[in-house]
Amino acid sequence: MKRLVVKWLLLPLSGLYGLVVDIRNWLFDSHLLKSYRPSVYSISVGNLTVGGTGKTPMIEFLIKRYVFSAVNGMGETATLSRGYGRKTNGFRIATGTDSAETIGDEPLQLYRKFGTQVRVCVGERRVDAILSLLRLHPETKRILLDDAFQHRAVRPHLSILLMDYNRPFYDDYAFPAGRLRERRKGARRADVVVVTKCPMNLWATEQERIARRIRRYTSPGVPIFFAGLSYSSPMTLATHQVATDLNPVVLVSGLANADPLEQYVRQTFGLRSHYRFADHYAYTRADLDVLLADLPAETVLLTTEKDWVKLDALLSPEERSTLPLFYLPVAVQFLAGQETEFTQFLDANALKNR
């Protein structure tokens, strides 16, 4: 009841915030503020809400789609994000010497997985970053823009809007009464909507009900797809080998919404406890010492890929090889039959924008 009262009290401020964002969007839509269309094919992945909707797994899906396709050549695909949480400024292309402090946790995760196949870049001024990238690497043919839905200075060739199944934007409000970065009608800029973190057995009738509510805010004809998260087998921090029989586990996560992860770990491995940290939390050695000191006997510590790249940097080689530490890979998994339709949509849009 108290939360509901607070929300209603904050609605006038949400209206004011929404109005300011509306004016900004109108200035871009009216071409009074300039937007830059990259000279190479660009895909934006973003959301309307504050917090995680599965943007990094979607970027990974797109990387795999292009890197493992016949149309991709070495160095032709690049990712670009702001590099949230980094302590550096300006444009950077990730190298083997970078850390979460220099490029951010999610770009570092991408670099460790795909750095030999794609260029992972960060830059808070995305137009300048794209121009720098193309000047340094003119062989680049496509750029994947992470968390760029509100970055109106860049006008991508394809805009993918993600919506968390558990937190639909059509039931939410603009900040501060809600979690929206802009009003719901911002969805009109999307070329396609993907509802993420869905149960894999989501009924077709429920999918259609959700799609009808989304279509109230999108442009006519925008396709809507549904996807869940697929967790792979845990991997060891030391050797990145598949691990088995992890019962029970202590879970450590720094996510915007860790509920789906906790539910999966509880059902699959047996959850002893869950240490929840803020999204993009910058772990310290003191944090790690507490986690290890509190780790019960006969249990293991399990974390996410995003948290692994930060915790791993705090470990000594001996600790990495001897302590029971594991991370859990995650990927986008479209509901039955929809991955083929989604990739066909991607191909058709790329062909249209040649």
Side-chain angles (χ1 to χ4, degrees):
M1 181 64 182
K2 181 179 179 181
R3 181 177 299 178
L4 183 62
V5 171
V6 170
K7 184 183 78 172
W8 282 105
L9 291 174
L10 290 175
L11 280 176
L13 293 177
S14 292
L16 179 61
Y17 172 84
L19 178 62
V20 171
V21 178
D22 285 348
I23 293 172
R24 175 179 180 270
N25 283 329
W26 178 81
L27 290 171
F28 277 107
D29 295 339
S30 303
H31 307 291
L32 297 174
L33 289 177
K34 292 183 179 180
S35 61
Y36 163 71
R37 172 83 86 174
S39 59
V40 299
Y41 188 60
S42 55
I43 301 177
S44 165
V45 176
N47 52 19
L48 289 179
T49 57
V50 175
T53 53
K55 293 185 293 294
T56 300
M58 178 55 69
I59 290 290
E60 291 192 5
F61 177 91
L62 295 173
I63 290 174
K64 294 173 184 176
R65 169 65 181 166
Y66 290 109
V67 166
F68 299 144
S69 69
V71 301
N72 185 77
M74 182 62 67
E76 292 184 355
T77 301
T79 69
L80 175 62
S81 65
R82 182 178 61 170
Y84 186 87
R86 65 184 175 128
K87 296 182 179 179
T88 59
N89 296 303
F91 174 68
R92 294 177 68 95
I93 299 178
T95 69
T97 62
D98 276 302
S99 66
E101 290 190 344
T102 60
I103 61 173
D105 50 12
E106 288 164 341
L108 181 60
Q109 175 185 328
L110 294 176
Y111 178 78
R112 288 197 173 184
K113 295 180 74 170
F114 305 106
T116 60
Q117 299 158 310
V118 303
R119 287 190 179 85
V120 177
C121 309
V122 295
E124 62 274 14
R125 298 177 64 88
R126 314 240 182 156
V127 174
D128 293 343
I130 292 172
L131 293 173
S132 296
L133 169 64
L134 296 180
R135 184 177 66 255
L136 293 170
H137 296 284
E139 68 275 21
T140 304
K141 290 188 176 180
R142 66 190 63 82
I143 302 175
L144 309 178
L145 302 166
D146 186 13
D147 197 11
F149 195 75
Q150 284 76 33
H151 198 89
R152 300 297 307 276
V154 175
R155 185 162 49 95
H157 296 83
L158 177 67
S159 184
I160 302 175
L161 177 65
L162 306 184
M163 185 192 85
D164 186 339
Y165 166 81
N166 304 285
R167 298 178 177 179
F169 70 78
Y170 51 69
D171 284 336
D172 209 344
Y173 296 90
F175 178 84
R179 298 174 57 84
L180 297 188
R181 299 175 175 183
E182 57 180 302
R183 296 187 206 258
R184 303 168 190 174
K185 62 183 179 181
R188 287 183 301 193
R189 299 196 307 277
D191 297 303
V192 58
V193 178
V194 180
V195 183
T196 61
K197 302 184 182 181
C198 298
M200 296 308 298
N201 60 352
L202 186 65
W203 287 10
T205 52
E206 178 65 3
Q207 293 180 43
E208 182 53 37
R209 184 192 69 81
I210 294 170
R212 282 198 303 269
R213 298 200 64 183
I214 292 174
R215 290 191 185 103
R216 297 177 187 176
Y217 304 99
T218 62
S219 298
V222 168
I224 300 171
F225 297 93
F226 293 81
L229 293 176
S230 172
Y231 295 98
S232 302
S233 298
M235 311 286 283
T236 63
L237 262 65
T239 61
H240 312 295
Q241 299 298 310
V242 173
T244 58
D245 300 327
L246 299 187
N247 288 312
V249 304
V250 171
L251 180 63
V252 177
S253 69
L255 304 173
N257 178 18
D259 292 344
L261 171 65
E262 179 178 303
Q263 182 180 7
Y264 173 80
V265 171
R266 187 181 303 278
Q267 294 173 348
T268 307
F269 303 109
L271 182 65
R272 176 67 64 88
S273 59
H274 183 184
Y275 290 87
R276 292 181 179 237
F277 292 85
D279 195 19
H280 299 286
Y281 183 76
Y283 296 96
T284 65
R285 179 66 208 199
D287 294 323
L288 181 59
D289 288 339
V290 170
L291 293 172
L292 295 176
D294 291 345
L295 190 66
E298 307 302 325
T299 63
V300 303
L301 190 149
L302 181 66
T303 191
T304 70
E305 286 184 280
K306 185 169 77 170
D307 296 298
W308 155 59
V309 298
K310 290 176 288 189
L311 290 170
D312 184 65
L314 303 173
L315 295 167
S316 68
E318 181 181 359
E319 289 173 325
R320 191 176 295 111
S321 62
T322 59
L323 293 174
L325 308 176
F326 304 85
Y327 67 90
L328 187 64
V330 62
V332 167
Q333 182 176 354
F334 283 86
L335 272 57
Q338 297 193 31
E339 180 172 337
T340 299
E341 294 180 24
F342 181 69
T343 54
Q344 289 174 346
F345 171 82
L346 292 177
D347 294 343
N349 188 81
L351 185 64
K352 181 178 66 175
N353 285 282
R354 278 185 178 177

